[in-house]
Amino acid sequence: MAPMSTPPAPAALPRILSGMQPTSDSLHLGNYIGALVNWVGLQQDFDAYYFVADLHALTVPTDPEVLRRRTRVTAAQFIAGGVDPKRSAVFCQSHITEHAELGWVMNCLTGFGEASRMTQFKDKTAKGQNANVGLFAYPMLMAADILMYDAAYVPVGEDQRQHLEITRDLAERFNARFGETLVVPDAYIVKGSAKIMELTDPTSKMSATNSPDKGLLLLSDEPARLRKKIMSAVTDTESEVRYDVETKAGVSNLLVIHSVLSGQRIEELEREFAGKGYGDLKKAVAEVVVDAVEPFRERMAELLDDPAELDRILADGADRAREVAVATMARVRDRVGLLPSVR
């Protein structure tokens, strides 16, 4: 009998992994503040893997050309936001075929009732999304994405911690049945990460899928469009610029956006705008947003103007990711009893 494969040796730096779906023509300010800013910082202390989740995007009917364009746009925005492809692996999920293979193994470890209780499937189908099998099996492919890279941590907000539990459960289940093979990841809770709300309904989180265009500050928006959206943002019938999420959600959201991008504390901004109106606050927010987004837009345009170079960056990232994925799948195949491919 061939000797059992051994679990991976620890990397020099702990590994961290995250990804985004290419489901829109642009990321928005909430993506930038809530994820990209943190991804950039994590490059300092982790062996980082960041991917465009194009396989997950297939759960929604999308024109092939649109998907290809959005995949490049999302990758370009990762880099424009500060992710350094020389330090972090930036790649497309579909370029690593082992994702789908490990996803199948995770499917076979998951009970139908367990999968049926996943809230994402129920929530999305309740909102009218096509109830396809891919959407049903989404959490198992997501688990494969994470477990593929022996990630010690997955950066999530406090409200997303439960999304990691199925991954941990499946890794522990696999290890209990087949021996220690997969790294059980922990949540890396991003402390102090600001939640950006939409401009038309400041009680709802800014979302590419659920927010109207005028409620989104897209990273691809021209300065004039950004200013127009901010000047039209919903506030309230009072006039005092004060942070109070319960009674002044719109004003509070504008203060958070200003604070995160300018580096000024909210208390300082409240003093600065004391005695001034909402129009003054909106003008100031528009300026800090434009100042932050304009260099981003310029770098994104450079990348998209040279798709061959962008594709080369993604190919390099895939090569780096594939080295880890191939090793992981070799261990998994051995443990579950699949014959090696011999030529």
Side-chain angles (χ1 to χ4, degrees):
M1 179 182 292
M4 294 288 276
S5 55
T6 57
L13 289 174
R15 195 168 287 148
I16 201 159
L17 174 129
S18 196
M20 291 187 198
Q21 285 194 54
T23 51
S24 66
D25 289 321
S26 175
L27 301 180
H28 54 70
L29 192 68
N31 300 135
Y32 176 73
I33 291 173
L36 273 182
V37 169
N38 295 309
W39 287 13
V40 173
L42 291 170
Q43 294 178 120
Q44 307 292 330
D45 302 311
F46 294 92
D47 182 22
Y49 287 69
Y50 298 132
F51 68 97
V52 182
D54 50 349
L55 290 178
H56 286 298
L58 295 176
T59 60
V60 178
T62 306
D63 178 87
E65 286 304 316
V66 171
L67 179 58
R68 275 189 278 271
R69 183 185 74 245
R70 288 177 172 176
T71 298
R72 284 197 178 99
V73 165
T74 303
Q77 292 186 334
F78 287 0
I79 299 166
V83 171
D84 182 356
K86 293 181 180 178
R87 302 177 66 179
S88 303
V90 180
F91 61 100
C92 292
Q93 180 189 28
S94 64
H95 290 175
I96 312 299
T97 57
E98 286 81 4
H99 280 257
E101 186 177 359
L102 186 55
W104 176 255
V105 175
M106 294 299 107
N107 286 340
C108 296
L109 284 174
T110 307
F112 182 80
E114 181 181 22
S116 299
R117 291 190 293 273
M118 295 294 167
T119 57
Q120 185 177 57
F121 181 79
K122 291 188 288 188
D123 291 346
K124 289 193 172 183
T125 52
K127 292 176 181 177
Q129 185 167 331
N130 181 26
N132 56 66
V133 176
L135 182 63
F136 186 75
Y138 184 106
M140 284 63 83
L141 180 56
M142 179 188 70
D145 298 334
I146 297 166
L147 298 176
M148 184 70 71
Y149 298 98
D150 304 320
Y153 298 100
V154 179
V156 294
E158 186 65 49
D159 59 340
Q160 298 171 314
R161 186 191 289 267
Q162 61 176 333
H163 299 168
L164 189 59
E165 289 309 307
I166 182 64
T167 302
R168 290 177 52 84
D169 290 346
L170 289 171
E172 290 170 349
R173 191 175 304 164
F174 187 100
N175 291 344
R177 185 175 302 179
F178 299 109
E180 290 296 320
T181 308
L182 299 172
V183 174
V184 181
D186 287 318
Y188 185 93
I189 302 299
V190 180
K191 306 233 182 265
S193 180
K195 184 185 292 186
I196 305 302
M197 315 305 280
E198 73 165 65
L199 300 180
T200 56
D201 177 9
T203 63
S204 299
K205 189 174 178 179
M206 192 174 286
S207 165
T209 54
N210 298 321
S211 302
D213 178 69
K214 61 184 179 180
L216 291 170
L217 294 173
L218 298 175
L219 299 181
S220 61
D221 278 342
E222 297 281 347
R225 188 163 181 76
L226 290 170
R227 289 190 177 94
K228 182 177 180 180
K229 290 180 178 181
I230 293 168
M231 295 306 296
S232 301
V234 169
T235 49
D236 53 60
T237 57
E238 299 179 5
S239 59
E240 183 184 7
V241 176
R242 174 170 51 86
Y243 183 82
D244 183 340
V245 175
E246 295 300 320
T247 63
K248 301 175 76 65
V251 172
S252 299
N253 188 43
L254 293 172
L255 285 169
V256 168
I257 292 171
H258 193 312
S259 176
V260 171
L261 295 179
S262 68
Q264 290 184 260
R265 292 186 301 113
I266 286 178
E267 294 84 355
E268 295 173 357
L269 292 172
E270 287 177 324
R271 290 193 293 271
E272 181 179 332
F273 289 98
K276 298 181 180 179
Y278 292 164
D280 295 312
L281 173 63
K282 289 179 178 181
K283 288 177 183 176
V285 171
E287 289 310 308
V288 297
V289 169
V290 168
D291 286 347
V293 171
E294 205 42 25
F296 180 101
R297 287 181 66 252
E298 290 173 2
R299 176 61 175 141
M300 182 183 71
E302 289 176 5
L303 290 161
L304 293 175
D305 283 344
D306 190 354
E309 174 62 12
L310 182 57
D311 289 354
R312 185 198 63 76
I313 291 172
L314 290 171
D316 286 349
D319 286 344
R320 178 174 160 187
R322 191 174 296 109
E323 288 184 14
V324 181
V326 167
T328 300
M329 283 311 304
R331 298 196 311 270
V332 169
R333 292 191 197 104
D334 178 46
R335 292 296 174 117
V336 302
L338 298 175
L339 288 175
S341 175
V342 178
R343 296 186 186 278

